Amino acid sequence: MKYLDEFSDPVLAKRLFDDIRAVTTQPWSLMEVCGGQTHSIIRHGIDQLLPEEIQLIHGPGCPVCVTPLEIIDKALEIASRPDVIFCSFGDMLRVPGSGRDLFKVKSEGADVRVVYSPLDSLRIAQENPDRQVVFFGIGFETTAPPNAMTVYQAKKLGISNFSLLVSHVRVPPAIDAIMNSPDCRVEAFLAAGHVCTVMGTGEYPGLAEKHRVPIVVTGFEPLDILEGIRRAVRQLEAGQHTLENAYPRAVQAGGSPAAQAMLADVFEVTDRAWRGIGMIPQSGWRLSPKYREYDAEYRFSVTGIDTEESTVCRSGEVLQGLIKPHECAAFGKECTPRNPLGATMVSSEGACAAYYLYRRLEAPNKEASSVG
């Protein structure tokens, strides 16, 4: 309760808003990387209270949303097999594949189970030695360490009927790809604090220098985000482009050495496709050769998967920050949380879900004068 009160103080928030207004002299576009930050911004109306010169662009920082359609279809193929117990966190069950989702597969008789930790899957594997147990391992650097630990434990304990379907992605290469896009409008980044608690901040100064953009590591409470915006705007107005850590209570420059060591042992960096964005070099992880036998893609030989995205869903443009959710013609009509066309409407961190939940169903007047 202390942090909820301390980092939502309206008096302190007003001071930060006043400071941002005082320093802002021209239009700027900032991207918050993480979907958790997006939900906090929309929930508290931060974007609507900022000076009209400041536009917040919602980034691709939702792991459910960027999991490629091909991987979803591979999950559906594996889960459909009669000898498989397919385990996943609950937010993946309604993410649409080419024609169905994990809920649909479950309703057809597949053994699909919601778990609260990857280690739950390992326990299920021990309890069902005659079945193959697969855990759907998705996420950014924050969820990769426990998934790596689970594979490490499986090998250590000799549990041979467990495997991991991997779709882990890395944030810094995504920032690089966004800045290299010819359609990029981003002039500063609010980096995801929880990612940096694991990996540290070592990769960000080079990106800030290469692309000449401020990068400010922030948390997720209203005051965290406002402080990140304040620092980013101050840098932009001063013509600076450095890394700043506005989340020191959680983030240290070196991150978590123990988590990084586990990742280095179990995973190796690889090219990875991002849903709605495409292939980003060196932006993901896969199991290293030492643990390849626990890779579900290899174990089940899921190949020849043909994918087909919705023709009316524009979630890819939302993920790239090119449009806001309410600018998609299907938003709130053909596409709702009960009938999602894209992952951004399903995930608890998706931008479309945030706009629908907090009733941002049409563009506010402020956007008429915002940066294009």
Side-chain angles (χ1 to χ4, degrees), residues 94-269:
R94 297 191 64 241
V95 178
S98 293
R100 52 184 182 162
D101 56 28
L102 285 168
F103 263 134
K104 177 65 173 176
V105 172
K106 181 177 177 64
S107 72
E108 294 170 350
D111 194 345
V112 177
R113 306 185 189 184
V114 173
V115 295
Y116 298 96
S117 164
L119 289 173
D120 292 341
S121 303
L122 205 58
R123 174 184 52 78
I124 293 171
Q126 289 176 301
E127 295 171 351
N128 297 270
D130 58 333
R131 306 278 300 279
Q132 289 290 324
V133 176
V134 180
F135 179 73
F136 200 176
I138 71 155
F140 292 99
E141 293 92 331
T142 44
T143 55
N147 291 344
M149 172 61 77
T150 303
V151 174
Y152 173 85
Q153 288 283 56
K155 186 175 182 68
K156 181 180 179 180
L157 297 172
I159 303 173
S160 59
N161 64 322
F162 171 83
S163 58
L164 186 72
L165 181 60
V166 184
S167 185
H168 278 299
V169 290
R170 302 173 57 242
V171 170
I175 291 177
D176 191 43
I178 289 167
M179 291 306 302
N180 286 330
S181 169
D183 299 319
C184 178
R185 299 176 293 124
V186 180
E187 296 167 293
F189 285 93
L190 304 181
H194 54 359
V195 168
C196 294
T197 61
V198 175
M199 303 304 295
T201 59
E203 293 186 80
Y204 294 100
L207 287 170
E209 180 64 29
K210 175 182 177 180
H211 298 291
R212 303 184 68 80
V213 292
I215 300 177
V216 182
V217 179
T218 70
F220 306 91
E221 298 299 326
L223 296 190
D224 289 324
I225 293 169
L226 285 172
E227 174 63 8
I229 293 170
R230 185 186 73 85
R231 294 194 188 198
V233 172
R234 281 184 173 274
Q235 281 203 49
L236 289 167
E237 292 283 344
Q240 299 172 345
H241 47 272
T242 63
L243 169 76
E244 286 191 64
N245 180 10
Y247 198 35
R249 70 181 186 274
V251 173
Q252 298 180 352
S256 170
Q260 293 168 30
M262 179 59 64
L263 291 171
D265 179 40
V266 175
F267 290 125
E268 63 181 7
V269 174

Side-chain angles (χ1 to χ4, degrees), residues 285-322:
W285 278 304
R286 65 182 177 189
L287 289 173
S288 65
K290 180 179 176 182
Y291 296 92
R292 191 62 49 82
E293 63 188 294
Y294 293 95
D295 191 323
E297 288 192 57
Y298 284 87
R299 180 169 296 189
F300 294 96
S301 301
V302 280
T303 58
I305 301 291
D306 296 321
T307 60
E308 183 179 351
E309 290 278 9
S310 167
T311 57
V312 297
C313 176
R314 299 178 67 186
S315 61
E317 294 169 82
V318 173
L319 287 169
Q320 296 177 69
L322 301 177

Side-chain angles (χ1 to χ4, degrees), residues 34-150:
C34 177
Q37 293 167 334
T38 299
H39 269 252
S40 186
I41 287 166
I42 302 304
R43 176 186 178 187
H44 296 284
I46 290 173
D47 57 330
Q48 296 178 321
L49 296 171
L50 288 169
E52 64 178 17
E53 293 87 355
I54 305 299
Q55 181 182 16
L56 296 182
I57 300 173
H58 312 315
C62 163
V64 174
C65 301
V66 301
T67 301
L69 186 60
E70 179 183 0
I71 292 292
I72 301 296
D73 284 352
K74 288 179 178 180
L76 297 172
E77 163 66 19
I78 294 170
S80 299
R81 302 192 182 190
D83 62 330
V84 168
I85 300 173
F86 194 89
C87 300
S88 173
F89 293 143
D91 55 2
M92 292 303 299
L93 267 63
R94 297 191 64 241
V95 178
S98 293
R100 52 184 182 162
D101 56 28
L102 285 168
F103 263 134
K104 177 65 173 176
V105 172
K106 181 177 177 64
S107 72
E108 294 170 350
D111 194 345
V112 177
R113 306 185 189 184
V114 173
V115 295
Y116 298 96
S117 164
L119 289 173
D120 292 341
S121 303
L122 205 58
R123 174 184 52 78
I124 293 171
Q126 289 176 301
E127 295 171 351
N128 297 270
D130 58 333
R131 306 278 300 279
Q132 289 290 324
V133 176
V134 180
F135 179 73
F136 200 176
I138 71 155
F140 292 99
E141 293 92 331
T142 44
T143 55
N147 291 344
M149 172 61 77
T150 303

Side-chain angles (χ1 to χ4, degrees), residues 38-39 42 47 56 58 324-326 331 350-362 367:
T38 299
H39 269 252
I42 302 304
D47 57 330
L56 296 182
H58 312 315
K324 297 291 178 65
H326 49 230
F331 174 77
C352 294
Y355 272 59
Y356 192 91
L357 176 63
Y358 300 115
R359 313 310 292 169
R360 296 287 190 87
L361 304 183
E362 58 185 22
E367 290 200 359

